[in-house]
Amino acid sequence: MSERARSLYFEAPGEVALRERAVPEPGPEEVRVETAISAISAGTELLVYRDEVPTEMAVDPTLEAFDGDFSFPVSYGYAAVGTVTACGDRVDDAWRGRSVFAFNPHESQFLAAPDSLIPVPDSLSATEAALLPTAETATNLVLDAAPAVGERVAVHGAGVVGLFTIGLLAAFPLSSLVAVDPLPGRRNLAAELGADETLHPDRSDRLGDHRDADEPPGLDLAVEISGRPAALDDAVDAVGYDGRIVVGSWYGQKRADLDLGGEFHRARIDISSSQVSTIAPDRRGRWTTDRRLDAAVDLLERVPVEEIVTHRIPFDEAPRAYDLLDGADAGEGSPLQVLLTYD
């Protein structure tokens, strides 16, 4: 008899539901995974929840678990950790009982090809492993940003990805590292992870002053990962001549209203995008996704994940998790990383 599973679906704007379905026995080259934890990627998933993603856009053509586009209803999520409970006839039985990570939607059980799974290293807990995509995204951002010795750097946005990015940048011999975020708790965590200074966005006009008297004005580098298009305009104002801005935010259908009529052209400011699905062409000769993943695991071992995880919500109550992230349930405090737990 086939197992029963529940899958999370974004049914309509602001509406999440769990659907029950059968889980067939694994095919000859498949395994069945029982989920223990899955992490909600607040930035991306709230765009889906709020219907702010272009519906004709493919979900993610680089990952086997996804097909189709973002039109409702859509099953989404990409950070599941669980245990292999059954193996197909052609799969090495050593997979059975193994703790694995999968780029898979939020669901209690699922089938997968073994080569699409990442065995969880003994050095990581299930909670830490669930944040593997976050660490990998931050690693990719820093690879694309290419910080140099003595540079003045700002990170706009101290959400989960921003905090991981700050933790990684803090290991570089920078002249200064500033975190910009509206929430005091997130600014405190940014300081704990190595930011030299933290600012509210209303004070971001001070960013260009972070220099010694004999140094050129403006920042050398800004990383925009707040999800707020206005922060990109702040970054343009903050960097100086030949300054660089790396945009990790996905704005969905939100428009970025940029003031490019001032010093932008004369200052030769460079704006580039960073997206974890691919490695930048100038890095592909030396960097593979496996090498980037190894670097992400190293980062996870250095970041205080338990401080970043603010909420654990049973999968049965998944709609409440999205209400909380969307601000509808302010009584529980401002969430940072929300995990869904499965019994």
Side-chain angles (χ1 to χ4, degrees), residues 81-82 98-102 117-132 290 293-301:
V81 177
R98 185 173 291 180
S99 178
V100 294
F101 172 89
L117 302 175
I118 300 171
V120 174
D122 292 338
S123 59
L124 298 183
S125 67
T127 297
E128 291 167 333
L131 297 189
L132 192 55
D290 285 343
L293 195 66
D294 289 341
V297 170
D298 290 342
L299 177 58
L300 276 168
E301 294 172 351

Side-chain angles (χ1 to χ4, degrees), residues 5 15 18 34 48 63 67 120 127 134 181 190 194 201-202 254 311 316:
E15 182 182 339
L18 301 182
E34 184 173 324
V48 181
L63 297 177
D67 57 18
V120 174
T127 297
T134 302
D181 197 274
D202 290 345
K254 292 180 287 188
H311 294 76
D316 287 343

Side-chain angles (χ1 to χ4, degrees), residues 275-340:
Q275 213 285 326
V276 72
S277 293
T278 55
I279 293 173
D282 61 346
R283 295 283 185 182
R284 291 174 194 167
R286 298 292 306 167
W287 281 85
T288 64
T289 54
D290 285 343
R291 183 181 182 186
R292 187 180 64 186
L293 195 66
D294 289 341
V297 170
D298 290 342
L299 177 58
L300 276 168
E301 294 172 351
R302 303 199 310 269
V303 171
V305 168
E306 291 299 334
E307 293 185 49
I308 291 173
V309 174
T310 55
H311 294 76
R312 298 172 187 266
I313 295 178
F315 189 49
D316 287 343
E317 302 174 28
R320 180 166 69 86
Y322 291 90
D323 284 344
L324 173 66
L325 287 165
D326 198 36
D329 190 2
E332 292 192 51
S334 175
L336 188 51
Q337 178 62 65
V338 178
L339 299 181
L340 298 175

